[in-house]
Amino acid sequence: MMELSSQDLIRKLLIDIGENPDREGLEGTPHRVIKSCSELYAGYKINVASLFTIFEDVHGYSQIVICKDIEMFSMCEHHMLPFFGKAHIAYLPDKKVIGISKLARILEAFSRRLQIQERIGEQVTDTLMYYLQPKGAACIIEAVHMCMRMRGVNKQESKMVTSSLKGEFLTDASLRSELFNLLNLNK
């Protein structure tokens, strides 16, 4: 049995949905889809450990560090449809701090894969706890899911909010409340 190339599979999909892959407008689509996938799923190729630029905190900063409203998108692993929104990533330093852009890069490494929203938050906080070893880490994601809006229940105003809290953000209610206040989530 001959194995189909990725482009042949896209052509077959176009035929299966009732399209003509040879018509004007679709002639280059299989190639474009494959090229697009290399961008959409680039997270599989990222070595997360290489993202960490850690600095010893000689001044002993001990307050919450937040990178807020980070735009993000991912692709639902159940329907391969996009979900997108914003993430808030925070940590409570313990002798080390990280370059702030690295928080967004960590999010990108995990979100540019077939995913579920809950797992992205867990992967971000687990990674921070492992490599940075802070007193706590948090990732709150607010996203809209096209699998909820374009198919199934067709709920156009739905938004999913998930949180992953580790360390003192999970165990200290006053610290968690401070974090949520800083993020304007205690409304």
Side-chain angles (χ1 to χ4, degrees):
M1 181 177 187
M2 190 172 104
E3 189 172 319
L4 294 176
S5 72
S6 298
Q7 288 190 43
D8 289 336
L9 290 171
I10 301 301
R11 283 182 58 80
K12 182 172 177 356
L13 176 65
L14 290 169
I15 292 167
D16 288 351
I17 65 171
E19 264 295 354
N20 174 3
D22 296 316
R23 78 165 169 84
E24 186 178 350
L26 289 180
E27 290 169 337
T29 295
H31 171 73
R32 286 188 296 270
V33 169
I34 300 307
K35 187 175 176 183
S36 174
C37 284
S38 69
E39 291 179 50
L40 294 174
Y41 303 111
Y44 290 111
K45 297 176 184 170
I46 297 172
N47 175 356
V48 176
S50 72
L51 299 176
F52 278 81
T53 304
I54 297 174
F55 305 97
E56 293 297 321
D57 183 19
V58 295
H59 301 291
Y61 190 80
S62 62
Q63 302 300 308
I64 299 172
V65 176
I66 301 173
C67 189
K68 185 176 169 179
D69 295 327
I70 308 166
E71 306 92 11
M72 58 85 57
F73 73 85
S74 191
M75 299 294 281
C76 163
E77 68 182 32
H78 302 126
H79 304 100
M80 292 185 76
L81 290 172
F83 62 95
F84 56 90
K86 58 186 174 179
H88 317 292
I89 302 173
Y91 71 95
L92 189 61
D94 183 23
K95 302 182 184 122
K96 300 176 196 171
V97 293
I98 188 172
I100 196 71
S101 69
K102 303 308 182 192
L103 296 176
R105 291 187 190 281
I106 294 164
L107 174 68
E108 188 108 329
F110 293 118
S111 64
R112 287 197 178 227
R113 302 174 182 191
L114 287 174
Q115 277 286 19
I116 61 171
Q117 183 173 326
E118 301 91 332
R119 186 185 311 124
I120 295 170
E122 286 291 302
Q123 289 172 322
V124 168
T125 55
D126 286 345
T127 298
L128 285 171
M129 293 301 287
Y130 181 80
Y131 289 104
L132 188 59
Q133 300 172 345
K135 294 177 184 174
C139 182
I140 294 96
I141 301 173
E142 304 171 65
V144 296
H145 291 247
M146 291 298 100
C147 59
M148 287 275 294
R149 291 184 173 201
M150 296 172 67
R151 53 155 306 282
V153 296
N154 289 291
K155 297 303 177 194
Q156 301 307 304
E157 298 301 318
S158 63
K159 183 185 286 187
M160 184 172 175
V161 179
T162 56
S163 66
S164 174
L165 306 173
K166 306 283 186 199
E168 291 183 21
F169 287 124
L170 186 60
T171 61
D172 185 332
S174 64
L175 186 62
R176 184 171 49 253
S177 181
E178 179 184 353
L179 171 67
F180 290 168
N181 282 332
L182 290 168
L183 294 173
N184 294 317
L185 296 176
N186 276 343
K187 296 175 186 172

